[in-house]
């Protein structure tokens, strides 16, 4: 009997995750469906953001809609500098929601590309303070190596600009990170379709984080299921080892070339 | 007495506590945190913190988010 790999859990900072799918909670048309979507996704990590409270209104508490069996990972979105990211991380901790933090430092309002240098600075500080730090970065090898040296728990390169659903535009750069970095590489932002999540996993990514593609789907629950299956399929394919790719456009028969059923011509 | 709450000028009675301000803003339930003059406050200390003229208070909550 062929044995399958049954012990393939992703560990981040010693925490065993139940799946390799991370999901964001922005842009959903309402919060009420969120628990069902998160369960359909079998998501292991769920991201939230911090913002100024809407004063005087009885705003819903988003945490009421996040199941207990996931890891909550607030992000530092809105931060334009390392100091602002650190401040948001401190606020997040003060709100009693654990020590996981996705560092996101963005001052480019057009493409929303991360500032790797400020991200590195924020990560250095927050790792020293005991946070489990997952920095969102442009897929640059040297930045990723420096982040690893600081003690971050994973690196999160983008696939395409945030919310664009444009797919894995940074494929070759992400592959370099996967090949050269010893920490988990979680592909974040820009993934628009389950097939693209599967592609990330086939390449050896440790996990993917998706938000817009699920939240803006016609049926978010069904899309969450599709992403979950795609992540599993991609991971299984990676573990199986992708078959060789021919260097030419000619074919290579996968069936034997002898013993045909038709009569040989004289 | 005037204080600044999330960037907006707000008039509150003298000797208002941070707890009273948070109640007035419907911010005592759930996960909210308050910064007073850029310092994070402990929720348990809110009843003992008396606001002063021109204090700046930032009230922060969690919202849905993935990336910016």
């Amino acid at each position: 009997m062929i044995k399958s790999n049954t012990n393939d859990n992703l560990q981040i900072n010693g925490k065993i995750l139940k799946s390799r799918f991370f999901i964001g909670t922005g842009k959903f048309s309402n919060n009420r469906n969120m628990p069902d979507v998160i369960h359909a996704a079998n998501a292991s990590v769920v991201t939230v953001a911090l913002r100024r409270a809407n004063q005087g209104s009885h705003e819903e508490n988003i945490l009421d809609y996040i199941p207990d069996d996931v890891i909550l990972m607030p992000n530092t979105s809105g931060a334009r500098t390392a100091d602002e990211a650190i401040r948001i991380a401190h606020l997040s901790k003060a709100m009693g929601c654990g020590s996981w933090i996705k560092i996101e430092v963005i001052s480019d309002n057009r493409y929303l590309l991360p500032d790797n240098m400020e991200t590195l600075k924020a990560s250095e500080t927050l790792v020293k303070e005991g946070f489990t730090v997952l920095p969102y970065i442009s897929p640059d090898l040297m930045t990723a190596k420096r982040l690893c040296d600081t003690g971050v728990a994973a690196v999160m390169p983008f696939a395409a600009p945030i919310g664009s659903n444009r797919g894995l535009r940074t494929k070759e750069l992400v592959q370099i990170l996967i090949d050269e970095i010893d920490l988990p590489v979680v592909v974040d932002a820009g993934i628009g379709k389950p097939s693209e999540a599967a592609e990330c996993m086939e390449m050896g990514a440790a996990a993917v984080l998706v938000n817009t593609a699920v939240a803006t789907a016609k049926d978010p629950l069904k899309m969450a299921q599709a992403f979950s299956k795609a992540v599993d399929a991609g991971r299984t394919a990676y573990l199986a080892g992708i078959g060789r790719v021919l260097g030419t456009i000619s074919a290579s028969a996968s069936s034997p070339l002898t013993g045909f059923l038709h009569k040989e011509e004289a | 007495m005037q204080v600044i709450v999330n960037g907006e000028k707000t008039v509150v009675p003298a000797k208002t506590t941070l707890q009273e301000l948070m109640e007035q803003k419907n911010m005592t339930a759930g996960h909210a945190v308050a910064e007073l003059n850029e310092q994070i406050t402990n929720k348990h200390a809110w009843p003992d913190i008396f606001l002063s003229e021109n204090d700046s208070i930032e009230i922060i909550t969690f919202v849905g988010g993935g990336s910016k």
Side-chain angles (χ1 to χ4, degrees):
Chain A
M1 184 179 144
I2 297 172
K3 286 185 180 174
S4 62
N5 189 340
T6 54
N7 184 22
D8 180 45
N9 294 319
L10 173 59
Q11 276 197 48
I12 292 186
N13 241 12
K15 191 105 180 171
I16 296 172
L17 306 186
K18 66 178 181 179
S19 82
R20 292 170 180 273
F21 190 36
F22 299 5
I23 195 166
T25 54
K27 298 184 186 171
F28 282 88
S29 57
N30 70 66
N31 292 336
R32 286 190 304 280
N33 298 337
M34 210 169 284
D36 290 338
V37 172
I38 292 169
H39 276 135
N42 191 31
S44 57
V45 176
V46 175
T47 63
V48 291
L50 282 78
R51 289 291 181 274
R52 273 179 168 173
N54 201 356
Q55 298 177 59
S57 69
H58 285 278
E59 213 170 331
E60 286 184 324
N61 178 7
I62 185 116
L63 300 188
D64 289 342
Y65 296 94
I66 297 178
D68 293 335
D69 60 348
V70 299
I71 293 169
L72 193 66
M73 180 168 67
N75 65 40
T76 66
S77 70
R80 294 157 299 175
T81 64
D83 286 344
E84 288 178 3
I86 292 165
R87 176 188 168 209
I88 294 170
H90 290 166
L91 286 165
S92 162
K93 198 168 194 177
M95 290 158 88
C97 293
S99 62
W100 283 50
I101 190 85
K102 174 184 161 186
I103 304 298
E104 193 178 313
V105 183
I106 294 173
S107 55
D108 158 41
N109 285 328
R110 183 166 187 186
Y111 300 104
L112 304 182
L113 298 177
D115 183 330
N116 281 359
M117 287 185 69
E118 292 295 303
T119 301
L120 179 61
K121 279 194 242 172
S123 297
E124 279 173 341
T125 299
L126 293 170
V127 166
K128 282 181 191 160
E129 292 180 5
F131 282 88
T132 297
V133 175
L134 290 88
Y136 170 65
I137 58 169
S138 291
D140 170 66
L141 178 60
M142 294 310 142
T143 303
K145 283 189 169 181
R146 290 186 177 111
L147 283 164
C148 290
D149 291 342
T150 70
V152 299
V155 292
M156 305 183 73
F158 66 80
I162 291 168
S164 67
N165 284 354
R166 285 164 62 81
L168 190 51
R169 298 296 170 128
T170 56
K171 181 173 181 176
E172 292 184 4
L173 295 172
V174 168
Q175 186 69 68
I176 290 170
L177 296 197
I178 291 169
D179 292 345
E180 299 297 325
I181 297 297
D182 289 333
L183 289 175
V185 173
V186 180
V187 182
D188 177 15
I191 296 170
K193 293 184 288 194
S195 56
E196 294 156 0
E199 185 176 12
C200 294
M201 301 307 295
E202 287 168 359
M203 288 164 56
V208 297
L209 194 163
V210 177
N211 188 164
T212 303
V214 173
T216 63
K218 201 167 156 187
D219 185 339
L221 195 144
K222 200 168 268 184
M223 188 58 83
Q225 288 174 330
F227 266 103
S228 180
K229 288 175 181 174
V231 168
D232 283 348
R235 179 64 186 175
T236 305
Y238 171 75
L239 294 174
I242 308 293
R244 70 193 169 93
V245 177
L246 290 179
T248 68
I249 60 167
S250 60
S252 170
S254 51
S255 302
L257 290 172
T258 55
F260 289 114
L261 300 183
H262 60 76
K263 287 181 182 172
E264 296 292 334
E265 288 180 16
Chain B
M1 180 173 72
Q2 180 180 282
V3 295
I4 312 293
V5 182
N6 286 2
E8 290 179 14
K9 291 175 183 172
T10 305
V11 176
V12 296
K15 295 185 179 176
T16 295
T17 66
L18 185 53
Q19 173 73 23
E20 287 164 345
L21 177 76
M22 295 296 274
E23 285 171 5
Q24 186 192 325
K25 301 289 182 185
N26 293 319
M27 285 295 156
T28 50
H31 292 265
V33 66
E35 278 182 326
L36 176 60
N37 300 326
E38 300 184 1
Q39 297 293 314
I40 296 171
T41 58
N42 185 324
K43 202 169 197 166
H44 301 297
W46 287 353
D48 302 320
I49 297 173
F50 289 90
L51 300 179
S52 302
E53 182 79 25
N54 291 325
D55 271 350
S56 176
I57 300 105
E58 288 285 324
I59 306 171
I60 312 289
T61 56
F62 283 119
V63 297
S67 296
K68 183 173 183 177

